[in-house]
Amino acid sequence: MSTSDHSDAPVPVPSPASFAVSVPDLSDTELEAEELDPAQILSGDPVVTGKVLWEAPDGSQVRGIWQITPGVVTDTEANELFVVVSGRATIEVEGGATLEVGPGSACVLREGDRTTWTVHETLRKAYHISY
């Protein structure tokens, strides 16, 4: 086939750059403070920090590292896949499952899931979110 056979074909959009990080190294990654709405805190004094490693130009996807210290918080989720690097938490999905997560756990949360996170030990995760 010649390229002229595809004159009406859409031009492919390049994928974001590929990258790899070492999971053990993530425990040493310096994170930046993130705001946590006080209305989300049910108990304790949790602190949230994170670092965006990559974001799509249109904001539709974000990849990064996120951490929360012990406490109980609520959230409304985006489409997210994450892997726990360190720490432990129980995530209760309203009307759904209760997820026990710890180092090496891979978890998927759906957009709109209302969750309650009980963080037992400071939890650090590597994540990919799609909006």
Side-chain angles (χ1 to χ4, degrees), residues 32-50 66-75 88-89 116-123:
E32 301 158 7
E34 294 184 10
E35 284 192 42
L36 182 60
D37 182 347
Q40 292 180 264
I41 301 171
L42 300 182
S43 72
D45 190 22
V47 174
V48 174
T49 54
W66 183 85
Q67 179 172 286
I68 186 169
T69 62
V72 180
V73 298
T74 62
D75 200 9
R88 287 184 324 104
T116 300
W117 291 64
T118 302
V119 181
H120 310 290
E121 299 170 4
T122 298
L123 183 122

Side-chain angles (χ1 to χ4, degrees), residues 15-23 26 29 51-56 61-65 81 126-129:
S15 298
S18 300
F19 68 90
V21 293
S22 170
V23 171
L26 294 180
T29 301
K51 181 172 183 131
V52 172
L53 300 174
W54 176 85
E55 183 171 356
Q61 298 179 61
V62 180
R63 298 172 186 155
I65 309 300
L81 165 65
Y127 67 85
H128 175 93
I129 295 174

